[in-house]
Amino acid sequence: MRIATTVAEARAAVAQWKSEGLRIGLVPTMGFLHEGHESLMQAAAEENDRVAVSVFVNPTQFGPGEDLDRYPQDFERDLAICRKNGVGLVFHPTAGEMYPPPFYSAVRVDVLSAGLCGKSRPTHFEGVCTVVCKLLNIISADRAYFGEKDAQQLAVVRRMVLDLNLPVEVRGCPIVREADGLAKSSRNAYLSPEERQAALVLCRSLREARALADAGERDSSRIMERISGLIASEALARIDYVEIVDAVSLQPVARLEGPVLIALAVFFGKTRLIDNARISLP
Ligand code: AMP
């Protein structure tokens, strides 16, 4: 497994693979890897000849006062996980390598970035798009893998790739959960035992929403009220948003028709967690 810390090293490794006609899958991450990330590596390994993983805590996708300074990191452990999954290249640049000053450019995807997480994190998706675009230009992968856990990010990246004709196929992978249902996240490491227990209200309310839809409920506001009530009854939870949106346009829908996304962002103490469920109705 090669470890590249500079753009030039990463490009050289990729160029060699390309010269051998090998297909490359890229898994962009911020590190502190868990089984969610591993599922992306495994999907990439199944569909490509070589897997590249980037481990980069991207400063431009954090807003002021967010957790950039305390974001969990353990690069040695990340390397062991990558090795175990047969990864061929780990790209681990510094912020200076990715954003050499003066850095004046950015990639922005309007409309899709505005709602949901974009409301409380107005600069987040511009940071995500800029870094993903750069990573794809550095590691010219055939396919890039993203988790459905970050459903808005996946929709925004898909749009960017289409709009900008980036020569890569975007693949979405299902949410990986803990045994008790909590979606795996590097940020779960922040939770106290009490907050960890309280956070189960996320998957519980998504299960409840699914049950209501299965029972024939089609009114979005009634489902949102039920979910909000459930979350509000959890003393340690503070709602950022509860929304039901069209799964492709990410625009709010009054009724459950076609594929919709039930999306949640909730604070437990200082930790903001997101989760979602995709429901496809005829
Ligand atoms: P992150 O390191 O949190 O930026 O995540 C890197 C990639 O892993 C993103 O595409 C995430 O959507 C994906 N990911 C994170 N957690 C999960 C999960 N529990 N299940 C599936 N994919 C995930």
Side-chain angles (χ1 to χ4, degrees):
M1 185 173 79
R2 295 191 207 178
I3 301 164
T5 55
T6 66
V7 171
E9 285 163 359
R11 282 224 165 103
V14 170
Q16 194 192 321
W17 288 344
K18 289 266 163 195
S19 73
E20 295 167 30
L22 300 172
R23 289 163 308 166
I24 302 168
L26 170 65
V27 180
T29 82
M30 297 207 299
F32 211 65
L33 303 176
H34 51 66
E35 287 91 338
H37 300 114
E38 286 186 80
S39 74
L40 304 186
M41 296 177 204
Q42 286 152 14
E46 272 170 29
E47 298 177 345
N48 303 275
D49 304 305
R50 294 287 183 276
V51 177
V53 172
S54 59
V55 175
F56 178 57
V57 181
N58 174 37
T60 65
Q61 70 189 71
F62 289 78
E66 289 186 356
D67 55 342
L68 173 62
D69 297 337
R70 58 189 186 106
Y71 196 84
Q73 295 190 53
D74 187 342
F75 187 56
E76 288 309 314
R77 192 170 146 270
D78 290 347
L79 287 178
I81 290 173
C82 288
R83 263 190 212 101
K84 190 181 86 185
N85 285 279
V87 168
L89 170 67
V90 176
F91 180 44
H92 183 53
T94 60
E97 179 71 10
M98 288 297 271
Y99 299 106
F103 192 91
Y104 295 144
S105 305
V107 180
R108 199 184 69 233
V109 173
D110 284 337
V111 181
L112 296 182
S113 301
L116 304 174
C117 293
K119 276 193 197 145
S120 54
R121 308 186 75 193
T123 57
H124 174 66
F125 289 108
E126 184 168 309
V128 168
C129 288
T130 303
V131 82
V132 169
C133 190
K134 283 172 64 70
L135 290 169
L136 289 169
N137 284 332
I138 295 162
I139 297 170
S140 38
D142 298 272
R143 299 185 187 84
Y145 294 80
F146 296 87
E148 287 168 0
K149 152 112 190 321
D150 299 86
Q152 187 176 15
Q153 168 173 281
L154 177 56
V156 166
V157 167
R158 280 193 197 286
R159 191 72 252 164
M160 171 183 76
V161 163
L162 283 170
D163 287 353
L164 302 183
N165 306 102
L166 301 182
V168 67
E169 185 186 335
V170 174
R171 308 284 281 148
C173 300
I175 302 176
V176 176
R177 297 179 179 279
E178 304 282 356
D180 59 9
L182 182 67
K184 300 227 180 213
S185 165
S186 308
R187 289 191 166 100
N188 291 349
Y190 295 144
L191 300 171
S192 70
E194 295 74 24
E195 290 166 346
R196 169 72 181 69
Q197 191 59 30
L200 292 176
V201 74
L202 293 176
C203 54
R204 223 172 33 240
S205 30
L206 290 173
R207 269 201 302 272
E208 172 77 10
R210 216 181 262 285
L212 287 171
D214 286 346
E217 181 62 81
R218 293 291 176 268
D219 186 326
S220 298
S221 52
R222 277 211 285 270
I223 296 179
M224 288 192 291
E225 261 165 44
R226 177 85 187 109
I227 297 180
S228 303
L230 262 178
I231 299 174
S233 71
E234 179 52 71
L236 295 180
R238 182 166 60 81
I239 294 176
D240 180 13
Y241 65 76
V242 171
E243 288 206 49
I244 303 185
V245 298
D246 178 273
V248 178
S249 73
L250 302 186
Q251 299 308 303
V253 290
R255 290 185 60 76
L256 270 64
E257 277 163 1
V260 300
L261 203 64
I262 305 183
L264 317 174
V266 178
F267 284 95
F268 298 89
K270 281 191 194 160
T271 307
R272 182 177 173 281
L273 299 182
I274 56 172
D275 200 349
N276 70 81
R278 192 184 159 108
I279 300 186
S280 284
L281 294 165

